[in-house]
Amino acid sequence: MDNKEYSAGLSELRAVRDELKPLERELVQLQAKVGKLHDRRAEQIRQLGRYAKATSDRIATAAGLSVIDIVALVPSLAPQGAPEGPAEPPVTESTTVDQAAAQAPAEPIKETSAAPDPDSGSTDQAGALARLRAATADGAFDLEVLDEPRQAENTPSPAAAVPEEAERVLPSIPAGAEGDAWFRAEPGLSSKRPQFKQDTRGMAFLDTATGVLVWQGGTTRLDLGQSSVAEILTAVYAVAPATIERIYITAGDPWHQGSERHEFLKDAVAAWLNAPLPEGWTVESSRGRDRQAGHLVHPRNPVGRWQRGNQHTEIRSVGEWFNPEGADPATVRAAFVELWKALRPNFEDVVLMGAPSQTGRDLWSRTIPTKAGAKWADGFPVMSEEIRGLLHATAGQGRTELITPPRVPERVPGWFEVDRTFAYAKHTWASGVGVPRRITAAAFTAMTEKEQTNALFAPSHWRVRVTIPTGWNHVGLLPAPAPGERAWHYPYEGGRTFTTWAGGAEVNLALRNPIAPWRIEILDGLLWESGDPLKSWSTKLQKAWRSLRAIAEHHGDEQQKQACRLASRAVRSILLYGIGTFAQRPRITTGSLELGAGGAVPDLPDGARLTGITNTHVTWERNQGFARDQYAHPEWAAGVWSAARAALLSVSTSSKDPQTGKPLKAGALHLPAGSILAFRTDAIYTSAPVDWEYGGEPGDYLLKGRMPWEQTTPRTDEEFYYLQGLGRQAYESEGM
């Protein structure tokens, strides 16, 4: 090819681009329209299902769906009839593995409203957790008094439109002795260093699209047929030893087979997990010290567990650890090897467990002090169930917000994505330890100004009444409860008043932000002693992260460079999801049962709810409340999440002003008003060019997407993800 041919090829490529772009936009619009129609159909089905004489077959005919699809949306329409066979059919249960905090799906996932949200704050427990709905404590204290007159809380601001659906009311601490009784440690429960080493488990890596299988003993190509569970188990163990106990799927997503026949991905996953097994295999009933058993039905990263006699096997997605980005199984295996090698110098007992969340918590547990006389050598106390429940209901995770017209223009001059690298590691230096003190409104009022400041800068969680300054024209600063379970939004209308819970980091930001201070009234709060229970663990993980990034940058072998890049992302997942495990959500168990004769739905376990139905099985979920977990520390997770949300708005960087020597600031509040288009956990999407210097340190903002030309502002998640992908591709092409 000469220069003339190359130039002609570029011209042809531009023509293809120009022809493709409007078609892609049209496709996105059609997909969004189809999604809305699906949602509309599902809602209509649920409404019709409430009619006393409704039948699943008539609704199915009208909807153009199967009876099974209708029953999945309206479980009460399931056909009645006693199942044949054993009086008590075998039930398989699994405790949901906490994928935790801040794991954002690659694309929006629709979930059936019949299924309880594992992250839901609504529990049916009697006693302590029921008291979370008690009346709020009396009294309030104006922390900051502004010039404008105070607006009565019950009189809505003209800017604050009344939502169509009422916002949910967050729980509060009961007044007086009843609330004071919450402030205690759980008897006989504390976090102590384990006295055993985790068992290592043989791992294999399988690409179900190509059939390539890699393990320590070699590489082969398998005939997997349709990649059913039965075909995978049969093919793998025909060549690999029984000591292989984890099969990581690197590509192919076999659990999405037949997804077009299901309304929701989770139903397709359940159908794949519960398909017939080879002779001798059953769903696993027990496993090791943690007694994990049964399947985890997750729409994108499911876990299947089976056994054959004493042989145990898991099939998992490598997506739990990182996006393999097209890496072959050999490279993915090399990434796990490099991950172990990077962790080994800092964690003597390192064992890579099935998920990064499990690995993260196990590694942290081995940093708990044991030296006699050292503080917390007897273990970190676990707070009362009431306080844990309160934090679960009032401490959100990463900020996810799409800002649409008319708040921003219909068309914007550009699209820029900046993401905080390894952000949570930046916020692990100080955490609350021990049993918190209760700080009522009256107690806060009685403090000196210095004591109040110290309290807000200490690890803390506050119930506050917030008033936004009149004339505020930027994004919202504090999370407030939105309609729906565990949903949060960020009020921004000048003059609006609302009540919410927020961490000390966010309250401080609202009071001291670079634009205009917000009025904050303290109604109640939890104040911990400051400690560093996560510091050693986080520091060691950061060392591993830095070493892997350095190898990836300088290694001469391309496969090893890619393996180390993937391994560095796995370290990030270990910290990210490890922090999430401290949150200890209510335990959700899942299970499946075979249908009886004629498709009769069997009786479900007490307290279970039907979540899916196939031609052969039904699946269910049951909320079993909070377990007695010695590593339950939601105060640590809540503190990290609050600090990360605050840093998304304003944070000091590792770069310094050459004139003053002070750290330079970055974050959404340092961008023009009206330029913020979206937040996604640690990422900001803006229409304004961003020139923040990236120093390569945890928490620094890294430019990941860039299109410095006019764009149509996204209005839906589908349109957002489309622009996100285009922005990253455009930025990557600049460096080629």
Side-chain angles (χ1 to χ4, degrees), residues 66-146:
S66 69
V67 171
I68 290 175
D69 293 326
I70 301 302
V71 172
L73 288 168
V74 189
S76 61
L77 296 181
Q80 301 300 312
E84 295 186 0
E88 295 184 6
V91 175
T92 62
E93 287 196 16
S94 67
T95 301
T96 298
V97 178
D98 189 354
Q99 302 289 338
Q103 183 175 5
E107 63 188 68
I109 300 171
K110 293 188 295 182
E111 295 294 337
T112 171
S113 62
D117 181 359
D119 203 24
S120 168
S122 63
T123 66
D124 240 357
Q125 295 174 257
L129 292 183
R131 294 198 296 274
L132 290 177
R133 299 179 177 86
T136 59
D138 293 331
F141 174 71
D142 276 327
L143 186 64
E144 181 122 342
V145 180
L146 305 182

Side-chain angles (χ1 to χ4, degrees), residues 328-352:
D328 58 44
T331 303
V332 173
R333 181 181 180 275
F336 276 79
V337 173
E338 293 299 327
L339 173 63
W340 184 87
K341 288 165 59 177
L343 293 172
R344 183 68 174 81
N346 297 297
F347 298 97
E348 293 182 2
D349 294 337
V350 59
V351 172
L352 299 182

Side-chain angles (χ1 to χ4, degrees), residues 120-440:
S120 168
S122 63
T123 66
D124 240 357
Q125 295 174 257
L129 292 183
R131 294 198 296 274
L132 290 177
R133 299 179 177 86
T136 59
D138 293 331
F141 174 71
D142 276 327
L143 186 64
E144 181 122 342
V145 180
L146 305 182
D147 294 336
E148 58 266 31
R150 175 175 174 175
Q151 186 175 23
E153 184 178 9
N154 294 329
T155 305
S157 161
V162 179
E164 294 182 3
E165 184 181 355
E167 295 180 351
R168 74 186 192 281
V169 177
L170 295 178
S172 58
I173 307 170
E178 183 183 4
D180 293 341
W182 288 18
F183 292 78
R184 68 183 192 282
E186 196 69 35
L189 199 62
S190 61
S191 303
K192 298 181 179 181
R193 183 180 292 202
Q195 301 300 311
F196 65 92
K197 183 178 179 179
Q198 295 288 351
D199 294 332
T200 58
R201 307 191 191 279
M203 296 185 288
F205 301 87
L206 175 64
D207 182 336
T208 58
T210 64
V212 174
L213 175 73
V214 177
W215 75 102
Q216 188 176 16
T219 301
T220 189
R221 187 180 296 272
L222 306 177
D223 181 1
L224 297 176
Q226 299 300 311
S227 295
S228 67
V229 171
E231 289 167 319
I232 291 174
L233 293 176
T234 300
V236 168
Y237 288 108
V239 296
T243 52
I244 297 296
E245 297 186 58
R246 289 194 189 110
I247 302 171
Y248 282 105
I249 305 300
T250 64
D253 294 345
W255 38 79
H256 290 163
Q257 290 178 6
S259 59
E260 69 280 356
R261 300 192 300 270
H262 300 273
E263 183 76 16
F264 304 101
L265 275 180
K266 202 169 183 180
D267 296 336
V269 172
W272 185 83
L273 289 170
N274 291 303
L277 297 171
E279 184 177 354
W281 286 93
T282 60
V283 176
E284 186 180 65
S285 59
S286 64
R287 177 63 170 264
R289 293 175 181 270
D290 54 8
R291 297 188 62 79
Q292 292 288 345
H295 306 317
L296 168 63
V297 184
H298 186 278
R300 301 205 173 274
N301 295 316
V303 180
R305 302 183 180 96
W306 298 272
Q307 66 183 85
R308 180 172 58 181
N310 293 326
Q311 179 185 358
H312 296 265
T313 297
E314 292 181 337
I315 295 181
R316 313 183 71 111
S317 169
V318 79
E320 293 181 271
W321 293 85
F322 47 73
N323 179 357
E325 297 181 346
D328 58 44
T331 303
V332 173
R333 181 181 180 275
F336 276 79
V337 173
E338 293 299 327
L339 173 63
W340 184 87
K341 288 165 59 177
L343 293 172
R344 183 68 174 81
N346 297 297
F347 298 97
E348 293 182 2
D349 294 337
V350 59
V351 172
L352 299 182
M353 301 178 71
S357 56
Q358 297 168 312
T359 305
R361 190 163 75 170
D362 182 68
L363 293 178
W364 171 79
S365 71
R366 298 173 193 281
T367 66
I368 298 174
T370 57
K371 185 178 180 180
K375 195 165 189 179
W376 312 113
D378 293 332
F380 293 100
V382 173
M383 293 181 300
S384 69
E385 187 174 353
E386 293 91 339
I387 292 295
R388 284 181 281 146
L390 178 73
L391 287 169
H392 168 71
T394 62
Q397 300 182 20
R399 179 170 182 168
T400 298
E401 185 179 16
L402 182 63
I403 301 174
T404 59
R407 288 182 62 187
V408 291
E410 294 281 353
R411 293 186 65 81
V412 290
W415 172 273
F416 302 88
E417 175 189 2
V418 284
D419 183 81
R420 297 185 68 222
T421 305
F422 206 19
Y424 283 10
K426 181 80 171 180
H427 307 295
T428 53
W429 302 113
S431 302
V433 288
V435 177
R437 293 166 50 201
R438 182 179 187 180
I439 307 296
T440 63

